[in-house]
Amino acid sequence: MNYKYVYECLIEKARKRTNLTGYKEKHHIIPLCCRGNNTNDNLVYLTAKEHYVAHHLLMLIHKGDEFYSKLICAFRYMTVGSKYNNRLNSAKDYSYMRKLYSENHPCKNK
């Protein structure tokens, strides 16, 4: 699967959308940890589901490069939420995220 193409389509859909109603989340198209910035042309609003998918795709796109472990950390923090708000919906999701995080933790590479 071409993860980059899927990600680009998701972002293009968000850019063309004129009215996103309900809950939405701000997303950095090029994440800050990948040398992105806070300019308007690097930001879009996504639904919570789209945001989750976008971060998962970013991990898959950057697998093995210098940003991979940082993107895993971002995905982990996004999915586990805080002690007051657990965002994962299933044990399968949690298991998948924890496996990736433990195998690619930045401190393991030092």
Side-chain angles (χ1 to χ4, degrees):
M1 178 180 280
N2 187 339
Y3 301 118
K4 186 174 181 184
Y5 175 76
V6 175
Y7 180 75
E8 289 169 353
C9 288
L10 176 68
I11 297 304
E12 189 61 27
K13 176 184 169 188
R15 281 185 169 153
K16 288 181 178 178
R17 188 168 31 217
T18 57
N19 187 17
L20 180 60
T21 59
Y23 180 77
K24 58 190 171 195
E25 298 177 349
K26 193 182 300 185
H27 174 69
H28 290 89
I29 299 165
I30 300 171
L32 298 177
C33 70
C34 297
R35 301 187 188 110
N37 57 48
N38 286 316
T39 59
N40 285 338
D41 62 334
N42 192 43
L43 295 168
V44 292
Y45 282 98
L46 302 173
T47 66
K49 184 176 181 179
E50 288 172 335
H51 201 193
Y52 179 88
V53 168
H55 276 273
H56 192 184
L57 288 167
L58 284 166
M59 268 188 350
L60 296 169
I61 291 166
H62 290 280
K63 188 171 185 172
D65 73 16
E66 63 182 303
F67 305 118
Y68 187 55
S69 60
K70 290 180 179 181
L71 288 165
I72 288 173
C73 288
F75 184 61
R76 176 182 179 267
Y77 293 128
M78 177 184 194
T79 56
V80 297
S82 69
K83 66 181 178 178
Y84 306 107
N85 178 24
N86 186 355
R87 295 179 66 169
L88 289 174
N89 294 321
S90 72
K92 183 179 177 183
D93 290 341
Y94 181 77
S95 175
Y96 170 70
M97 181 277 307
R98 290 297 296 169
K99 181 178 184 294
L100 280 174
Y101 185 71
S102 67
E103 290 173 350
N104 298 282
H105 192 281
C107 293
K108 284 190 172 186
N109 298 328
K110 290 183 180 181

